[in-house]
Amino acid sequence: MKRFDNRTVIVTGGVRGMGGSHARGFVAEGANVVIADVLEQEGRTLADKLGVRAIFSRLDVTSESDWSATVAAAESAFGPVSVLVNNAGIVRFGPIAGTEPAAWRLVIDINLTGTYLGIRAIVPTMRKAGGGAIVNISSAGGMMAYPNTAAYTASKWGVRGLTKTAALELGRDGIRVNSIHPGPVRTPMTAGPDVAAAVAAEARNLAIARVAEPDEITRMVLFVASDEASFSTGSEFIVDGGVLLGPAPQHERARAAVA
Ligand SMILES: NC(=O)c1ccc[n+]([C@@H]2O[C@H](COP(=O)([O-])OP(=O)(O)OC[C@H]3O[C@@H](n4cnc5c(N)ncnc54)[C@H](O)[C@@H]3O)[C@@H](O)[C@H]2O)c1
């Protein structure tokens, strides 16, 4: 028996970076997975590669009709949905005074409103499944402040608050709702030259002085989504290498630089 045998799972932003890793992780654990993303060609290629227990559904998380179509596709391919991972997200950099309202709205729309629309769309099918788990991907930035990412930070604090309200509302339906808070992770989001340099600099100061690989976050997602986490809801699961601890002491940083 695997942890997700015959369960239907939707992973948003399930093509690239962490989402792709989560999709692969769920398939390996016996789940039937819907890779839901705006990247159609890459999504279909990944689904083909993962085999008969994976399909691709085109989903822009800001679109209510896309959500209806994705839930319908999941039900018709695999049956009622037991797990939703709200992973899709974007980041835009810049000081508040230099952030255009359109950029602010786009980040809030995808990261926060997209998560709300996902929860709203998934509840009926999860009730049909007899309960389930919603895993919302926030960030260490949903627990503290980073400069030059106001919309992102606000969206990730919003996801944390939304998670708690949803957990209270849905507990009686047997639906657990939790948030995950990664620190720096090696994905396309952090791959641009400027961002990669800033992320590497942040990582050098951490107690665990490196950037995480996506599968290190996947393992936490799988745990939180599984029955192993049966008594956890409305909670924050931190996978940040020590971001929230603050910078490691100087001599520890020097040792990491040598290693
Ligand atoms: N990479 C990090 O260091 C880091 C740290 C903390 C939290 N996170 C969060 O983890 C999640 C995944 O990040 P990642 O680094 O893998 O990002 P990524 O950019 O590598 O991948 C994001 C995925 O989301 C998809 N996507 C973007 N907009 C979408 C939309 N409107 N509808 C559906 N799909 C959409 C993209 O096509 C892509 O497949 C995000 O929520 C991000 O904020 C990332």
Side-chain angles (χ1 to χ4, degrees):
M1 272 292 278
K2 293 180 178 166
R3 279 187 289 182
F4 296 95
D5 271 342
N6 298 319
R7 304 242 177 118
T8 307
V9 176
I10 297 177
V11 181
T12 73
V15 172
R16 285 191 346 187
M18 276 184 259
S21 171
H22 303 337
R24 282 188 286 275
F26 277 108
V27 168
E29 290 271 7
N32 297 315
V33 176
V34 179
I35 298 160
D37 203 300
V38 287
L39 298 174
E40 292 196 38
Q41 202 170 332
E42 296 94 321
R44 290 188 203 289
T45 303
L46 178 59
D48 284 350
K49 211 187 296 173
L50 292 182
V52 289
R53 284 191 289 103
I55 61 166
F56 172 77
S57 178
R58 199 215 174 260
L59 170 76
D60 177 343
V61 292
T62 67
S63 159
E64 288 172 63
S65 56
D66 280 8
W67 270 110
S68 302
T70 291
V71 171
E75 285 193 326
S76 97
F78 302 130
V81 180
S82 300
V83 174
L84 169 65
V85 183
N86 279 311
N87 164 79
I90 62 165
V91 65
R92 293 288 181 273
F93 297 98
I96 294 172
T99 299
E100 293 298 327
W104 168 275
R105 288 198 180 99
L106 183 67
V107 172
I108 298 292
D109 230 24
I110 292 175
N111 295 7
L112 180 55
T113 308
T115 301
Y116 145 75
L117 288 174
I119 296 170
R120 189 165 179 272
I122 216 68
V123 167
T125 184
M126 267 189 192
R127 285 184 176 139
K128 271 190 242 166
I134 299 172
V135 181
N136 294 328
I137 307 301
S138 177
S139 168
M143 304 291 294
M144 56 178 285
Y146 281 101
N148 297 319
T149 54
Y152 184 82
T153 301
S155 74
K156 294 301 188 182
W157 280 73
V159 166
R160 187 173 152 212
L162 173 62
T163 298
K164 292 183 186 304
T165 300
L168 268 179
E169 291 183 9
L170 298 172
R172 295 291 193 277
D173 291 302
I175 299 173
R176 298 181 300 102
V177 192
N178 292 289
S179 55
I180 294 203
H181 300 261
V185 186
R186 195 184 317 282
T187 69
M189 181 183 275
T190 55
D194 294 352
V195 181
V199 167
E202 181 197 7
R204 275 195 291 278
N205 290 338
L206 297 181
I208 299 175
R210 62 178 176 81
V211 174
E213 297 302 327
D215 72 288
E216 297 184 273
I217 315 304
T218 295
R219 279 183 258 137
M220 180 65 93
V221 170
L222 293 173
F223 168 73
V224 172
S226 77
D227 294 342
E228 289 173 32
S230 53
F231 204 46
S232 293
T233 197
S235 290
E236 294 113 355
F237 290 82
I238 317 287
V239 206
D240 73 345
V243 170
L244 298 181
L245 299 173
Q250 281 295 342
H251 64 283
E252 290 296 332
R253 281 188 246 168
R255 260 195 357 198
V258 171

